Amino acid sequence: MATNPSAFDKDFGYLMPFLDKVAAAAASLEDASAREELTRLMAEEKVRWERARELLRGASGASSPAAQGPTEARAEPAPGVRAGLTVGSLRGVAPSKSRRR
């Protein structure tokens, strides 16, 4: 059974501004790494929800997540929100150990 894509327009109308508000609130976080992570998470969510909206409107689906390409995963922060940047050398920084399950 096909779904009417316009049935979700009102919901997207609330969702996208909400994601923008959360991203804007990230700027007030004291912890720089938390600020950067929350900004990145909200930008990524906006990309995902925009893609969901495209699919509901009839866009072709990708055969795998890798088919989307790496550029889809990197989203721009919301207007007025600065992205966290690393400044300085990464030389001498020990790589984090991955957890084994």
Side-chain angles (χ1 to χ4, degrees), residues 17 27 57-58 64 71 76 78:
R57 291 184 172 168
S64 70
T71 57
E76 294 298 319

Side-chain angles (χ1 to χ4, degrees), residues 5-89:
S6 64
F8 297 99
D9 285 346
K10 182 177 179 182
D11 298 312
F12 279 103
Y14 288 110
L15 176 64
M16 296 314 217
F18 170 73
L19 295 177
D20 287 337
K21 284 173 72 173
V22 174
S28 67
L29 295 177
E30 291 183 27
D31 183 327
S33 61
R35 205 171 38 243
E36 185 277 328
E37 182 179 358
L38 185 54
T39 299
R40 180 184 48 78
L41 286 171
M42 291 303 98
E44 290 171 355
E45 280 302 310
K46 285 189 74 170
V47 169
R48 285 186 190 99
W49 283 107
E50 284 296 341
R51 181 62 183 148
R53 186 182 230 176
E54 291 170 1
L55 292 168
L56 286 169
R57 291 184 172 168
S60 296
S63 59
S64 70
Q68 290 291 322
T71 57
E72 294 270 345
R74 301 284 294 176
E76 294 298 319
V81 177
R82 296 183 327 166
L85 302 175
T86 301
V87 177
S89 174

